[in-house]
Amino acid sequence: MESADMLGTCLDFDLNINLIHQNDETSEIELEEDHFVDEEAKVSVKKQKVLIEELNRVSDENKKLAEMLTMMCKKYDALQTLLMDLKSKSAEKEVDVMSVRKRKFDFDDNKNVAGLDQNNYSSSSAEDSCKMQKQIIEKKVSTVFVKADKSDSTLIVRDGYQWRKYGQKVTKDNPSPRAYFKCSFAPSCQVKKKVQRSAEDQSVLIATYEGKHNHLNPSASKMSLVTSPLLKTSLSPSSICANLSGSNLTLNMIENDSTKHVQEFRAPPMQSVLIERMASSLTSDPGFSAALAAAISGRILDQTRV
DNA sequence: CGCGTTTGACCGGCGC
DNA sequence: GCGCCGGTCAAACGCG
């Protein structure tokens, strides 16, 4: 993800000040031509000047915000590369541990089987280690954090796929029940999903996916970007969505291509945590919200003039 | 009546 | 061997 590079072209709230200046000039010429310059006209000129100053200020704020976001994305990229390094190292270790475990298991089995020599054992363990690696890849587990209403007791995570609930259990570590889902395309698709409310934050649903779908997302084409009035923090960081008073205003701050709106819903655990924190820090900052609102209104004002 | 959800029973793995 | 715990099964139930 080259989020920092994309910012320059995509985080573009630049207000068209020149256009406003032109309008201002023409209106002033008209005023000069008009021999009846009254108080009302003077007031409107003053108002326009104030507006221009305000727009300049907002523009400056916008630039500062863009710089802040660029910095944040750079830091995020750095963290992500670090995370990838750590992950690849831990995955290597995991495979080693698994093959050692498997070897031990095979050794115990082989003790009961007569006529198997050590050579046989070593060759089969190599094959098994390959199989284990394959299984690790196939049994890919990913976790998704979804913001949900506290009052909403249903453990439903809208990810576009159709699921069939087959069980619910209260686990030891969490007072809220865990729901078990199978892909409705089962048995051809063996993907499973576990959904449970976070023990720390009841408004966060933790969905754990096991396996990979062998079919297309049935509602991917229909999937609306903004399906919930709440900010979907579980989405990929390359898209930020906001639903403003039901008008479904969607801001795609990073990606310009509208076809890239529907992002991969799944995210690695650490990535989701980062997204969660980034989103919460942004949304909880009243300065950011105010600046964003100002930038949006400026943009809308700009578009209505053209 | 069909389909999805609920919920108690059951099973297997793991630690003591 | 026993108990605990997470995961799964399947009968009962509810809804359209």
Side-chain angles (χ1 to χ4, degrees), chain A residues 158-160 217 219-225 227 232 262 265:
Chain A
R158 286 176 202 174
D159 52 11
N217 187 335
S219 60
S221 54
K222 289 181 273 176
M223 234 180 98
S224 163
L225 237 188
T227 55
K232 280 204 163 183
V262 179
F265 197 73

Side-chain angles (χ1 to χ4, degrees), chain A residues 54-82:
Chain A
E54 183 67 15
L55 281 170
N56 283 331
R57 192 185 60 77
V58 169
S59 181
D60 286 343
E61 259 180 42
N62 178 41
K63 276 179 189 173
K64 280 176 191 172
L65 278 168
E67 281 169 17
M68 275 168 69
L69 251 175
T70 312
M71 285 286 287
M72 207 156 76
C73 286
K74 277 180 183 172
K75 283 180 183 175
Y76 175 80
D77 284 343
L79 272 169
Q80 203 179 30
T81 47
L82 196 73

Side-chain angles (χ1 to χ4, degrees), chain A residues 30-59:
Chain A
E30 280 169 13
L31 283 171
E32 279 170 15
E33 283 174 355
D34 194 352
H35 295 290
F36 305 101
V37 182
D38 54 15
E39 283 296 312
E40 218 172 283
K42 277 182 184 175
V43 169
S44 75
V45 168
K46 269 188 181 177
K47 272 185 184 173
Q48 279 184 354
K49 279 180 181 174
V50 169
L51 273 171
I52 289 160
E53 278 170 17
E54 183 67 15
L55 281 170
N56 283 331
R57 192 185 60 77
V58 169
S59 181

Side-chain angles (χ1 to χ4, degrees), chain A residues 115-152:
Chain A
L116 277 176
D117 60 21
Q118 284 298 311
N119 291 336
N120 251 347
Y121 154 70
S122 61
S123 64
S124 69
S125 88
E127 278 175 23
D128 286 336
S129 138
C130 282
K131 278 181 188 173
M132 290 302 286
Q133 283 189 39
K134 255 191 176 179
Q135 278 178 3
I136 288 164
I137 294 160
E138 279 169 13
K139 200 90 193 202
K140 195 179 173 184
V141 176
S142 59
T143 311
V144 167
F145 297 82
V146 181
K147 201 92 175 162
D149 201 337
K150 259 186 186 178
S151 59
D152 186 14

